[in-house]
Amino acid sequence: TAGCSKTSKQTSPQSASTGNAQRTQAMYKNFWYACGQSTSITAKPRKMKMLGQNLVAYRREDGEAVVMSDLCIHRGGALSGGWIEDGCLRCPYHGWKYDKDGKCVEIPANGKTKSVPSRARVDTYPTAEKYGFTWVFLGDLPAEMRPPIPEFPEWDETMRPTYGEYTWNANFRRVVENSLDSSHASWVHRNSFGSNQNPEIPDFDIEHTDWGASAKLTLISPKLKGLWGSKREVLNKVEIHNAFAMPNLTVVLMKFGKMQTRLYNVSVPIDEETTLTHWVILRDFFKSWIFDADTRRRTLKIFYEDSPIVCNQRPELIPEE
């Protein structure tokens, strides 16, 4: 894919012969990644890890989110253990102070008479706010060459959003694959919204976009329990719209009767074996905040059902062939 930088790791043929398939791991750095819900980035420095990199994020008084390497270049202290002063991040080890661009502006031990060396700086990364998430670009492309933040199809601000996170002990490509797989719902989610009495997947057409694709199909789903099931028949058709955008956005739009939900998953690779999914689900019914907890519970139930399947897949990576 154009604009992708990869880091690769392969096992030896000998290890493949012992049962571990040869694998290639690719993490795509030249894309925007959600690093958390916007409200989770505050004036308190927050430690995070993405694409194998240790990062620290905080929000300045003017509202700008700052993301930088979580490593003081002096003696390797973790900046995430520091604090904010005048919009700058103070290292907790020797007090070095970094501005939003990663430049060190103060070295207390040197006093006020010595200037700060120009090489005293840490890496910082562009940020943006969209869809209730803070996004960060960890790549090395200039602004005019960067891919856009993934578009959330049919995003509707009149619907009620509920946000959450889920951590997988699995490679992010397996997580993305699972989210796009409609046929597993009949079996893995047979006690929630799938039906293994009606497992057939109808023919469907794929529509391509510049950075992804989508498909629409209709499945048979059993009656849901509780309040959500109060508006549905015992067995009915559910209209599904699945979508994908590089490198890690998956979308499941569902319409059943007069009710609609729209689930957007942004699955971020922490490392080769860990994935953090930032998700938001929209609903056009029961829009009071008092139903957010039930919405969160139902959404997490899907992840809980998927997790043991995805985390135990072998090989751990999608085979090249």
Side-chain angles (χ1 to χ4, degrees):
T1 302
C4 297
S5 294
K6 301 181 181 181
T7 58
S8 300
K9 178 180 179 181
Q10 291 187 332
T11 57
S12 66
Q14 289 79 8
S15 64
S17 66
T18 62
N20 294 324
Q22 187 175 19
R23 64 184 192 170
T24 300
Q25 163 62 16
M27 292 185 186
Y28 305 102
K29 72 176 185 178
N30 277 314
F31 286 93
W32 289 91
Y33 286 88
C35 59
Q37 190 177 348
S38 294
T39 55
S40 71
I41 310 298
T42 67
K44 179 179 174 59
R46 177 182 175 183
K47 185 180 183 67
M48 60 181 62
K49 186 175 182 179
M50 301 171 63
L51 279 71
Q53 299 183 57
N54 291 318
L55 304 169
V56 57
Y58 69 93
R59 195 173 298 280
R60 289 163 45 90
E61 290 183 356
D62 61 6
E64 179 183 3
V66 178
V67 176
M68 62 176 61
S69 175
D70 189 20
L71 183 70
C72 178
I73 56 93
H74 176 215
R75 303 302 297 167
L79 295 174
S80 56
W83 56 91
I84 307 303
E85 290 183 10
D86 303 321
C88 298
L89 180 55
R90 178 80 74 176
C91 177
Y93 198 1
H94 299 94
W96 285 35
K97 187 177 179 182
Y98 296 91
D99 67 13
K100 68 174 185 176
D101 297 317
K103 179 182 177 181
C104 182
V105 295
E106 182 183 339
I107 300 177
N110 283 357
K112 297 182 179 180
T113 60
K114 295 181 181 180
S115 62
V116 177
S118 60
R119 66 180 182 275
R121 61 187 311 119
V122 298
D123 291 335
T124 59
Y125 303 94
T127 62
E129 309 290 333
K130 195 171 185 180
Y131 303 120
F133 294 112
T134 297
W135 300 76
V136 60
F137 188 83
L138 299 178
D140 52 12
L141 294 177
E144 65 273 11
M145 294 181 62
R146 295 170 192 160
I149 292 174
E151 292 292 335
F152 284 19
E154 299 189 40
W155 179 263
D156 186 348
E157 294 187 354
T158 67
M159 299 175 71
R160 176 73 183 183
T162 301
Y163 289 83
E165 295 180 347
Y166 189 81
T167 301
W168 311 72
N169 294 319
N171 180 269
F172 89 103
R173 292 190 293 177
R174 282 297 198 186
V175 173
V176 171
E177 176 192 35
N178 172 76
S179 186
L180 289 172
D181 180 357
S182 297
S183 63
H184 84 281
S186 298
W187 307 97
V188 179
H189 306 298
R190 62 186 180 276
N191 294 320
S192 50
F193 65 89
S195 171
N196 60 7
Q197 301 301 311
N198 298 274
E200 296 85 2
I201 299 296
D203 293 337
F204 56 86
D205 295 322
I206 298 176
E207 296 184 5
H208 294 274
T209 64
D210 289 341
W211 295 99
S214 65
K216 295 181 180 180
L217 59 156
T218 301
L219 302 179
I220 300 297
S221 175
K223 179 180 174 64
L224 293 176
K225 299 178 181 179
L227 286 173
W228 285 35
S230 63
K231 295 185 178 181
R232 297 182 57 182
E233 299 173 0
V234 175
L235 193 68
N236 62 10
K237 295 181 179 180
V238 179
E239 298 176 20
I240 304 288
H241 181 190
N242 279 356
F244 165 78
M246 282 292 291
N248 59 348
L249 170 67
T250 56
V251 183
V252 182
L253 312 181
M254 301 180 66
K255 183 177 181 181
F256 31 92
K258 297 181 180 180
M259 304 163 65
Q260 292 188 57
T261 61
R262 300 173 184 176
L263 176 62
Y264 305 86
N265 298 317
V266 183
S267 297
V268 178
I270 304 303
D271 53 38
E272 290 190 356
E273 300 175 347
T274 314
T275 301
L276 175 61
T277 296
H278 300 287
W279 58 265
V280 55
I281 185 169
L282 307 181
R283 65 182 187 274
D284 67 353
F285 55 93
F286 302 141
K287 294 167 70 172
S288 169
W289 65 269
I290 64 175
F291 297 104
D292 289 350
D294 185 61
T295 300
R296 185 174 292 105
R297 177 185 63 80
R298 290 178 181 272
T299 304
L300 287 174
K301 185 175 187 293
I302 297 173
F303 289 105
Y304 295 148
E305 291 171 344
D306 279 327
S307 186
I309 300 295
V310 175
C311 295
N312 286 295
Q313 280 183 280
R314 298 294 180 270
E316 292 85 349
L317 302 184
I318 300 173
E320 293 291 334
E321 67 275 13

